[in-house]
């Protein structure tokens, strides 16, 4: 039981009469890299919003390390050890890269809403931010405004905000969306490095990326997980082939 | 152009000791020189008023500039701070307590801070429109309550006090405006330094984060509501200090001080001064404060001129007066102002002509309407004019319209030029 970072049981979400998530069951094992795939409109982002607290489920349970988190506000879920990135870049545009990261590490380092000392004097914050900047390869952009970064740099910062909070479970919503081929390769390498040792659930469309990085894959179709397994199992699954991979242009259609 | 330039100036790392302390040394030097340069009770009283409003505007910018919150009722805490300080003084004087007058703002500020926690808790659930509406509602509530509790708020003439009643302390008896100036100046330095310090703390940074992207703050483990509530309380506390100083300066506090007009005034001061530069609101408070003191003597239309200035800043210079200064400074340092000077001078000249026309129109309008009893002859900007004369109106309209219309092509040429200089569109560096 506790070997699972996240356990989702019969999760449902309706918007009025429309059922978007229709009884999802999903397990994210501790330490695994798990990809969530599915056609557009399958409910992948909605599922992420439910897990991370942006939306409240209609029914069902979400357990984080065995503790129920469904319906809790996002901040509580972060405290419980889960943080996320967003499909559409969701950073602090008018603040510098360093300031962005400072905000993200303040809670885990215990400074919270403090006014007792200036940030410049908080050695632990500085050390952690320096380490993160290095890891994200943004050291040279330290004092640049976040909205002046290139797109891949903004995506790296987006990833950095999720990673910096110190959560051991991460949800990454299409971290490579909108990137060119070479940018995707660099981003994948970065993601693999910064999420080392954590449990990772990631929505991704690029099949090449998925089969390269994922330990397991779950396929979400019309609000239901129709299959979960290793990349090989998913590739060989006839239901998945029919619903998703079977289309002639699987790579592009994704 | 201006925002980019501000950005370059802001993001430049200036963490060495000298640049950080230099502005403060300058501030203190200016505070020393001011009463010597402008002696006389009336002038020093004006300085006291400006200092009070500068603190008030700085406190407002904690909300507007730092946290991105548009409060429509900030005067509530300015006024309540003033009333709390006044009643504290009256009470202590009656009880015969020895309490140094310069510390009185501490009482007003603490009182306003505590009330600010309560108000902030009510108003801070959301930012944006709901926040603005709740602050407006709260301030109307307090204003309306004033009529119900005349013993606290006084009736229409307010509550007056004699600041000398607490006796002498620190070698001053507080009879003269200069004594009050010392109090205001010291509190100004304390408040400005404190609020500047606040911007460097974790909570101060989180306030910026809430301004930029409140939702993401929640996903980093924080409650945006708590951040708003504490910044609101801090802003309220400092406004309370300013209100206490105003009460000490004028020796009277009325419900006007906590009404919508005062809330609007501090909004205008802060925005016109500039919300993204720390001392911007101080500049705004001084400019608007002086306009209020002097312009209200010169013309009945002074409120209208505030409105025009506000619209001008909103439309042309969203960074405010400080934004213009910082932008110009950055351009000078980059050596990019020179090529623009002829065009800027032409635009400025035409702008002044147009402004003269607008002033004539307004003054003629007032003389023809509200002040008709004073006769139709009037001197405007040194020119004898006639509120019933076709020539006067014609000249005014010609200047106003002609100036404005001829500026337009110049503005587009300026834009092209700035584009070519690399000041617009793309990275300024």
């Amino acid at each position: 039981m506790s070997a699972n970072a996240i356990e989702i049981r019969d999760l449902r979400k309706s918007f009025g009469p429309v059922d978007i998530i229709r009884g999802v069951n999903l397990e994210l094992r501790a330490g695994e890299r798990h990809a969530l795939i599915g056609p557009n409109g399958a409910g992948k982002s909605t599922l992420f919003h439910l897990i991370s607290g942006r939306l409240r489920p209609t029914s069902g349970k979400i357990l984080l390390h065995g503790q129920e988190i469904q319906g809790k506000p996002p901040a509580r879920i972060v405290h419980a050890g889960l943080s996320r990135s967003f499909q559409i870049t969701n950073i602090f545009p008018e603040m510098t890269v360093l300031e962005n990261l400072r905000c993200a590490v303040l809670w885990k380092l215990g400074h919270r809403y403090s006014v007792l000392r200036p940030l410049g004097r908080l050695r632990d914050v500085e050390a952690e931010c320096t380490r993160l900047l290095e890891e994200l390869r943004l050291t040279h952009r330290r004092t640049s405004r976040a909205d002046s970064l290139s797109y891949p740099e903004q995506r790296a910062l987006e990833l950095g905000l999720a990673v910096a909070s110190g959560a051991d479970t991460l949800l990454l919503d299409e971290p490579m969306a909108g990137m060119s081929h070479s940018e995707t390769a660099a981003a994948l390498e970065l993601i693999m490095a910064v999420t080392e040792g954590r449990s990772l659930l990631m929505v991704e469309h690029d099949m090449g990326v998925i089969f390269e990085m994922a330990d397991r894959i779950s396929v979400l179709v019309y609000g239901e997980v129709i299959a979960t397994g290793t990349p090989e199992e998913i590739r060989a699954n006839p239901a998945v082939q029919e619903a998703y991979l079977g289309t002639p242009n699987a790579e592009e259609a994704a | 152009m201006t925002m980019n330039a501000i950005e370059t100036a802001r993001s430049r790392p200036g963490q060495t000791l000298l640049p950080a302390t230099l502005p403060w040394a300058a501030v203190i030097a200016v505070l020393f020189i001011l009463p010597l340069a402008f002696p006389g009770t009336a002038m020093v009283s004006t300085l006291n008023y400006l200092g009070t409003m500068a603190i008030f505007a700085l406190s407002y910018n904690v909300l507007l500039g730092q946290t991105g919150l548009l409060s429509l009722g900030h005067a509530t805490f300015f006024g309540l701070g003033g009333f709390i300080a006044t009643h504290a003084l009256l009470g202590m004087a009656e009880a015969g307590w020895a309490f140094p007058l310069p510390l009185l703002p501490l009482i007003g500020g603490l009182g306003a801070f505590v009330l600010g926690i309560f108000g902030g808790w009510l108003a801070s659930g959301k930012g944006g429109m709901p926040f603005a509406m709740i602050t407006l509602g709260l301030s109307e509530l307090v204003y309306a309550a004033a009529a119900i509790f005349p013993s606290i708020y006084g009736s229409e003439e307010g509550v007056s006090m004699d600041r000398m009643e607490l006796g002498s302390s620190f070698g001053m008896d507080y009879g003269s405006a200069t004594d009050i100036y010392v109090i205001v100046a010291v509190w100004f330095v304390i408040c400005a330094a404190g609020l500047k310090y606040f911007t460097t703390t974790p909570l101060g940074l989180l306030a910026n984060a809430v301004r930029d992207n409140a939702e993401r703050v929640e996903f980093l483990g924080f409650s945006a509501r708590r951040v708003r509530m504490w910044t609101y309380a801090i802003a309220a506390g400092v406004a309370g200090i300013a209100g206490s100083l105003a009460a000490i300066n004028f020796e009277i506090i009325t419900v006007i001080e906590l009404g919508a007009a005062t809330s609007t005034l501090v909004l205008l001061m802060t925005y016109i001064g500039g919300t993204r530069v720390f001392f911007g609101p101080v500049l705004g408070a001084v400019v608007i404060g002086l306009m209020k003191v002097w312009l209200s003597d010169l013309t009945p239309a002074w409120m209208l001129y505030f409105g025009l200035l506000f619209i001008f800043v909103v439309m042309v210079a969203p960074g405010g007066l400080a934004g213009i200064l910082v932008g110009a400074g950055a351009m000078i340092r980059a050596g990019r102002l020179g090529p623009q000077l002829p065009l800027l001078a032409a635009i400025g000249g035409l702008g002044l002509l147009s402004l003269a026309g607008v002033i004539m129109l307004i003054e003629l309008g007032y003389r023809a309407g509200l002040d008709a009893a004073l006769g139709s002859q009037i001197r405007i900007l040194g020119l004898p004019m006639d509120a019933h004369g076709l020539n006067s109106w014609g000249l005014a309209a010609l200047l106003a319209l002609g100036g404005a219309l001829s500026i337009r092509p110049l503005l587009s040429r300026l834009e092209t030029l700035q584009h070519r200089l690399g000041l617009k569109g793309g990275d300024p560096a």
Side-chain angles (χ1 to χ4, degrees), chain B residues 24 26 57 84 90 135 137 152 161 179 186 206 208 243 277 330 343 395:
Chain B
W24 294 98
I84 291 168
L90 293 173
T135 54
I152 300 174
M161 54 125 133
D179 288 356
V186 170
L206 287 169
N208 284 165
V277 180
L343 258 181
L395 174 68

Side-chain angles (χ1 to χ4, degrees), chain B residues 322-380:
Chain B
I324 295 175
L325 290 182
V326 172
M331 269 194 266
I332 291 170
R333 261 177 279 130
R336 283 161 173 161
L337 190 63
Q340 299 182 56
L341 270 182
L343 258 181
L344 285 175
I347 291 171
L350 285 171
L352 284 178
L353 276 184
S354 185
L355 177 66
V358 171
I359 291 173
M360 288 173 184
L361 285 175
I362 292 171
E363 296 302 327
L364 286 171
Y366 263 82
R367 188 50 70 98
L370 198 64
D371 290 343
L374 297 173
S376 70
Q377 300 298 319
I378 178 175
R379 274 190 99 80
I380 305 171

Side-chain angles (χ1 to χ4, degrees), chain A residues 96-254:
Chain A
T96 67
V97 172
L98 176 64
E99 287 167 343
N100 268 265
L101 291 174
R102 278 173 166 173
C103 286
V105 303
L106 281 175
W107 188 275
K108 77 168 169 195
L109 294 175
H111 299 297
R112 304 189 178 183
Y113 307 94
S114 160
V115 289
L116 298 180
R117 272 186 299 169
L119 282 154
R121 295 259 191 83
L122 299 174
R123 293 271 164 74
D124 49 351
V125 172
E126 287 318 281
E128 182 63 3
C129 288
T130 305
R131 189 186 68 74
L132 282 162
L133 284 166
E134 199 97 339
E135 204 171 24
L136 299 165
R137 287 159 216 160
L138 288 173
T139 304
H140 62 296
R141 297 299 243 151
R142 198 181 145 87
T143 55
S144 303
R145 253 171 72 136
D147 60 2
S148 76
L149 300 183
S150 71
Y151 181 70
E153 285 173 335
Q154 288 195 7
R155 295 304 294 175
L157 183 57
E158 170 76 42
L159 175 69
L161 291 185
V163 172
S165 67
D168 58 10
T169 306
L170 294 171
L171 307 186
L172 303 184
D173 196 353
E174 297 196 36
M176 266 86 90
M179 287 193 185
S180 75
H181 216 73
S182 59
E183 288 167 354
T184 300
L188 179 61
E189 197 185 315
L190 180 63
I191 290 170
M192 298 293 267
V194 299
T195 61
E196 186 68 50
R198 308 194 205 205
S199 322
L200 177 65
L201 182 63
M202 180 166 116
V203 171
E204 186 47 60
H205 279 313
D206 189 320
M207 290 301 156
V209 167
I210 289 164
F211 286 112
E212 188 177 334
M213 57 77 65
D215 300 318
R216 291 199 305 155
I217 299 172
S218 286
V219 184
L220 190 70
V221 177
Y222 290 121
E224 283 177 283
V225 175
I226 62 164
T228 295
T230 63
E232 291 69 31
E233 287 166 359
I234 292 300
R235 226 194 292 251
N237 186 317
V240 176
Q241 283 176 356
E242 190 192 334
Y244 189 20
L245 296 175
T247 57
N249 299 328
E251 309 262 318
E252 285 84 350

